[in-house]
Amino acid sequence: MNIYVGNLAYSLTEQDLEEAFSEFGNVTSVKIVLDRDTGRSKGFAFVEMEDDDQGQEAINGLNDREMSGRRLKVNEARPKTNNNDRGGSRGPRRW
């Protein structure tokens, strides 16, 4: 199960998240999303858990839990969408 984790403190590391999620089961990957210009955390991450039931337990157990002074927002990640369509109302560009 792929899990979205938001409202992260900038000081949190991938290891911190792995430790928190491993309380609920086997964590297969952790990725804090970084700003490509500054290299600093954007304040959210994705955690992949091996088992869906354990992933749901992690969501229930960690959503709204405080870590490093911030309350985590944890839910099942939505599938990645096509970045070419950013939802603007102008339609495709015509040069």
Side-chain angles (χ1 to χ4, degrees), residues 53-72:
D53 290 335
Q54 293 172 352
Q56 191 58 54
E57 287 179 34
I59 290 169
N60 295 339
L62 293 172
N63 187 44
D64 212 30
R65 183 190 282 186
E66 187 174 314
M67 280 186 79
S68 298
R70 301 193 69 169
R71 293 209 174 271
L72 299 180

Side-chain angles (χ1 to χ4, degrees):
M1 170 182 269
N2 195 16
I3 301 168
Y4 167 84
V5 187
N7 202 35
L8 294 178
Y10 295 121
S11 61
L12 278 177
T13 67
E14 290 177 351
Q15 182 176 346
D16 295 330
L17 287 176
E18 183 171 2
E19 288 174 10
F21 277 82
S22 66
E23 293 176 31
F24 300 93
N26 188 25
V27 176
T28 56
S29 71
V30 178
K31 178 67 178 157
I32 293 177
V33 178
L34 304 177
D35 181 280
R36 67 177 156 203
D37 295 328
T38 66
R40 189 172 124 168
S41 168
K42 285 188 160 190
F44 67 96
F46 293 96
V47 176
E48 184 80 32
M49 295 194 69
E50 189 173 277
D51 182 81
D52 287 352
D53 290 335
Q54 293 172 352
Q56 191 58 54
E57 287 179 34
I59 290 169
N60 295 339
L62 293 172
N63 187 44
D64 212 30
R65 183 190 282 186
E66 187 174 314
M67 280 186 79
S68 298
R70 301 193 69 169
R71 293 209 174 271
L72 299 180
K73 300 298 177 204
V74 184
N75 52 56
E76 188 171 353
R78 290 180 274 182
K80 188 173 182 176
T81 59
N82 184 348
N83 283 339
N84 291 335
D85 179 14
R86 297 194 179 241
S89 60
R90 296 185 306 182
R93 290 186 182 173
R94 295 187 177 101
W95 299 97

